[in-house]
Amino acid sequence: MSNTQEIKSSQLGELARLFLKLGFTAFGGPAAHIAMMRKEVVERRQWFTEEAFLDLLGATNLIPGPTSTEMAFYIGLKRAGWRGLLVTGACFILPAAAIVLALAWAYVRFGTTLQAQGILYGLKPVVIAIVLEALWNLGKKALKGPLLVAVGVAVLGLYLVGGNALALLFGSALFVLLVRTARRSGQLNGASPVLLLALVPVTTAAVPFSLAGLFLTFLKIGAVLYGGGYVLLAFLRADFVDRLGWLTDRQLLDAIAIGQFTPGPVFTTATFVGYLTGGWAGGIVATVGIFLPSLVYVALLAPLMGRLRERRWTADLLDGVNVAALALMAGVSWELARSALVDPFTIAVALVSLVLLLRFKVNSVWLLAGAGAAGIAVKLLWPAAVPLA
């Protein structure tokens, strides 16, 4: 074996060990995952400078898909080429997907037990608090000026009256681009009709299940979703609850809770949804479908990504996408809160969790664990107090 081959094998082995560890231990959502990656590849191993790591982070924000998973892809690609991309992706995603599949099996088999009902009863209000915290933090960055605030309010209103999430996302991006372009040229007219794209009708008739339909739905979501794991909720609800009728709001909330509680990418919520709808094959198909677009984007667009944010028109599009994603998160939070906050206990858990997250920066994993234990206690002591799952 040549020295070059030995170096590549050594690099691949290092990448595999690091991202397997992260795959089993990276709790807390995308921001926490990225912080852990930075500590490992910048501080401990010195594979990247701070500036280079920030460039990678900026690139992930320019393409659809899960930010922390795309960071793993980029690190592998930069470190060891396309083989590194595949190694880091597999090692980061597969542990989380395996854990979620096991929990999905347990949920289907034991989900009606007192303990399982109690855990989910406690977890759901914490999930609502986690999404609200993300809304607060992201809103401070995304709502830059009256135009973006107005677009956000319009998207929220249109979504709540049945607007299509995908059309809202891309309609907002085009709207912001056209308005800003018109302002710069001194001709502000003709842009407002773009948001009418958001009124694409959404069918509510149930669709027969198929693995091909499951794969294509998650492939579409992975290919177009901006805003990270929390915006995923809007797309899952629009497709699996409203359009296809394969899930209920309660099942969707349970899937989100499991995705929050497990390590690794939040997008493994798709694995849970896939198992609920299509068993073991569905879990695998859903996982491949939602992560495949990100892998392709990183592999094909990596050479170009560093220059896109510098272009004014792409920056305008991204601002529109970001504010629409924020509004979609707010709309889904409102709808799911009606299923999660059902009594004084769940309302109190959500409020206390939100204060602990915003004021004291408590790790969400500890909140989920504590709320799950409290839910079990309430269920065992007062079984009638907990609504049936």
Side-chain angles (χ1 to χ4, degrees), residues 70-92:
E70 288 170 349
M71 281 295 289
F73 289 155
Y74 270 115
I75 290 169
L77 184 64
K78 294 291 186 181
R79 183 70 178 161
W82 66 268
R83 292 179 182 176
L85 179 150
L86 295 176
V87 165
T88 54
C91 290
F92 188 56

Side-chain angles (χ1 to χ4, degrees), residues 34 54-65 67-68 70-71 74 226-228 305 309 318 321-322:
I34 291 168
L54 281 173
D55 287 343
L56 293 182
L57 182 58
T60 64
N61 289 318
L62 293 171
I63 56 177
T67 304
S68 59
E70 288 170 349
M71 281 295 289
Y74 270 115
Y226 275 94
M305 299 315 299
R309 211 4 153 164
L318 285 169
V321 164
N322 289 339

